Amino acid sequence: MLRYLPSLLLLVAMSAQAQPAAPPSLTPRAHPEAPSTAYVNGRWFNGTTFAADTLFSVEGVFTRTRPAEVAHTIDLAGRYLVPPYGDAHTHTLSDAYSVAMAEPYQEQGIFYVLVLTNSHSGAAEVHAQFEPPTTIDVAYVHGGLTSTQSHPHGIYERLALGVFTSAQREERRDEILASRLRLNDAYWFIDTEADLEAVWPQFLAQGPDAVKIYLLDAARGAAEGNMMGRGLHPALIAPIVEQVHAAGLRAFAHVETADDVRLALEAGVDGFAHLPGYGYKADDVTIYHLSDEIIQLAGERQTIFTPTMAVTTLFHAPGAERLEAARAYQRDVLQRLHEAGARIALGADMWGETSTLEAQTMQEHEVFEPATLLDLWTRTTPQVVFPGRAIGRLAPGYEASFLALACNPLEDFSCTAQIEVAVKQGAVLQPTP
C-alpha cells in the first residue's frame, strides 16, 4: 500500500521551463493539508519527451511561483516524472468483495479509475474509502442500460445466485434467466420509451458519474423482432443519449459490431467501452471492421475508445492465426482512430488486472510509439475518467500528482513500473518495501 511520508530532503538549484497553465474549464481538486513543496532536479514528461524543470505545489496544485514559505524541498535526483496512470474500464472496486483491488491500483501508480458498470448497492458500500486525497479516485457507472435478459443481466444474476462455473451456469440456466436480484441496481431493462420514462428518474437518483448502454448487434435484433441478448433497440439509443446529455453526463456504449458503433455515433454517444470484435469470433470478421467514414466521424467528435485489446487474448477463437488477425485489425484501427482525432483510453476489463496489462499489450504489439502510449495512459485516460479535473499534465494549475520513475520509459517501457516516489495532490507517497 502507498503511505504518506512527511518529507524528502535536499535543496538544489532550480531550472524553469514554460508550460501551459490548466485551461479555465478544468478545476484542480485542492488538498489544503498538503505542505507547500518545491520539486527540483526532476525530468518532467511533457507529452512527447522529458525536460528538466522545477515546479512547486501549494495546497496540492502545481505552480511556477515560489510560495512565501516552502515546507519541503524534494530532490528528485534526475528521476523521470510522469502523471499518474488511469484506468478507464474496470468492474473491480465495485463492492466490498472486490475492493481489495485498490492496493494493486495504487502500487502500480494508477490513481484514476472508472468502474464502467457496477451495482449501486455495492458501490455504496465502498465509495467513501476513496474520498481522501491520498487514495485513488474512483468514478462509478451505476447499472447498465439494456433490454430484457440482455447483457449484463446474466453475469450479475449468476454472481448474485452464487453460480461461478460453466457447468453450474448450464444447469441453472432457466433460473438465471428468470432472476431479477440485481434489477435496477446493476442493470436496468429498457424495452420501450415508456420504460425509459419510468426508470430514468430512479436511475439518476443513484447519482452515476456516467452512463453505459449495451448494444450487441442491435440492428440484427431489431430486424429479427427479438432484442433478447442484443441489448437496446436501435430506436431507443438516441432518446437515451439525449437524456444522458440533458443530465450533464456522458454515455459510453458496449458494442459488438461496427454497425453498433455506427448506430451509437449517430445517436451522439461520447465513448465506446470496447472496439467491436474484441472476441473476433465471427466467421465473417468484416462485421467488426470500422469504415473510413465511421473513423472520420469518431475523430471529428473526439470520441473516446477504450479498446480492451488485452481481452482478445482470452476470448479469441482457437488458433494463432486468428489471434494474429485480430491483433493486426486492432493495431490498424487504433492507429487510424488516433490519427483521425479520436481519444484512446486504457482499461483492461478483466478481473484481477488493471490498465497496466492493457499498456503492456499495446506496447508489445507496437500499436503506438512509446511517447504516444505513455501520453494516452497518463493524460488521455485520467482526463477521460474525470473530464472536469485538471489532471494528466505536469504544469501550473494542474493537481500536483506525479510518479517518479527510476529510468526512462521512452527508452524501455518497462520503466513505467519502476516507481520510486509517488505524489498525489502534494502528498508524498512511496511503495512499502
Side-chain angles (χ1 to χ4, degrees):
M1 193 83 175
L2 295 177
R3 67 181 189 277
Y4 178 74
L5 295 180
S7 67
L8 295 176
L9 303 178
L10 294 180
L11 179 64
V12 294
M14 302 186 301
S15 64
Q17 188 167 315
Q19 294 187 48
S25 59
L26 299 179
T27 304
R29 185 175 293 177
H31 179 17
E33 297 178 5
S36 296
T37 305
Y39 306 109
V40 298
N41 236 17
R43 301 169 180 175
W44 302 74
F45 184 58
N46 60 18
T48 55
T49 189
F50 288 90
D53 200 357
T54 292
L55 287 173
F56 305 91
S57 69
V58 177
E59 295 189 352
V61 179
F62 280 128
T63 178
R64 197 170 295 288
T65 303
R66 184 182 182 91
E69 294 185 12
V70 175
H72 303 297
T73 298
I74 296 177
D75 182 2
L76 293 160
R79 293 181 176 92
Y80 295 84
L81 313 181
V82 299
Y85 313 128
D87 189 319
H89 192 162
T90 187
H91 301 281
T92 58
L93 310 177
S94 57
D95 53 32
Y97 175 74
S98 65
V99 79
M101 276 295 295
E103 188 168 336
Y105 276 105
Q106 201 159 328
E107 289 178 343
Q108 293 171 30
I110 302 168
F111 289 178
Y112 313 107
V113 181
L114 177 59
V115 181
L116 207 54
T117 303
N118 57 274
S119 69
H120 173 259
S121 59
E125 298 173 348
V126 300
H127 74 88
Q129 170 174 331
F130 304 115
E131 292 178 355
T134 52
T135 66
I136 64 175
D137 298 330
V138 184
Y140 289 98
V141 173
H142 295 323
L145 308 185
T146 192
S147 65
T148 297
Q149 293 183 332
S150 287
H151 185 59
H153 161 260
I155 287 179
Y156 283 105
E157 291 307 320
R158 291 200 302 270
L159 293 173
L161 292 167
V163 176
F164 302 112
T165 68
S166 56
Q168 291 173 330
R169 181 173 62 184
E170 186 60 31
E171 181 181 335
R172 301 174 65 180
R173 181 178 184 276
D174 291 342
E175 180 186 1
I176 294 167
L177 285 174
S179 182
R180 300 290 187 271
L181 295 175
R182 291 291 180 264
L183 180 63
N184 299 345
D185 183 19
Y187 61 88
W188 300 73
F189 288 154
I190 300 178
D191 299 312
T192 66
E193 288 202 41
D195 292 339
L196 173 60
E197 184 177 347
V199 307
W200 189 249
Q202 303 170 52
F203 175 78
L204 281 186
Q206 294 185 347
D209 295 306
V211 179
K212 187 173 178 184
I213 64 175
Y214 284 81
L215 310 176
L216 300 97
D217 204 356
R220 178 184 293 187
E224 294 174 350
N226 180 10
M227 295 307 299
M228 179 178 172
R230 299 296 182 186
L232 294 167
H233 192 284
L236 292 172
I237 304 171
I240 290 173
V241 173
E242 184 178 347
Q243 293 275 27
V244 172
H245 290 166
L249 300 173
R250 297 170 300 159
F252 290 86
H254 171 111
V255 291
E256 297 287 339
T257 68
D259 200 51
D260 289 335
V261 174
R262 177 188 63 80
L263 289 170
L265 274 176
E266 290 175 352
V269 299
D270 304 279
F272 293 92
H274 301 280
L275 282 179
Y278 60 89
Y280 221 68
K281 292 181 177 180
D283 292 334
D284 178 13
V285 296
T286 61
I287 67 169
Y288 306 131
H289 293 181
L290 301 182
S291 67
D292 291 340
E293 291 75 18
I294 289 177
I295 289 174
Q296 180 179 354
L297 180 58
E300 289 172 354
R301 296 181 178 178
Q302 296 186 313
T303 306
I304 300 160
F305 284 82
T306 304
T308 62
M309 187 177 184
V311 169
T312 304
T313 304
L314 294 182
F315 290 98
H316 72 88
E321 184 177 344
R322 174 57 69 100
L323 178 58
E324 181 49 42
R327 292 299 191 218
Y329 151 71
Q330 291 170 327
R331 250 191 322 269
D332 174 67
V333 76
L334 284 171
Q335 290 169 355
R336 291 162 62 206
L337 282 167
H338 184 259
E339 183 177 350
R343 304 172 71 198
I344 311 300
L346 277 62
D349 185 31
M350 283 192 282
W351 178 259
E353 299 291 350
T354 69
S355 59
T356 297
L357 177 63
E358 185 77 350
Q360 292 170 343
T361 301
M362 288 186 176
Q363 188 273 333
E364 177 185 351
H365 294 282
E366 300 180 337
V367 179
F368 299 112
E369 293 295 324
T372 299
L373 179 56
L374 187 61
D375 189 53
L376 294 177
W377 197 14
T378 62
R379 179 180 61 86
T380 302
T381 305
Q383 292 177 359
V384 162
V385 176
F386 292 105
R389 282 175 61 181
I391 55 177
R393 287 195 181 277
L394 307 178
Y398 285 81
E399 294 178 21
S401 302
F402 62 86
L403 311 173
L405 309 179
C407 49
N408 188 345
L410 304 186
E411 297 175 355
D412 180 355
F413 201 76
S414 68
C415 292
T416 55
Q418 298 190 40
I419 303 169
E420 295 193 334
V421 178
V423 172
K424 186 166 185 290
Q425 292 169 251
V428 183
L429 311 171
Q430 181 172 305
T432 54

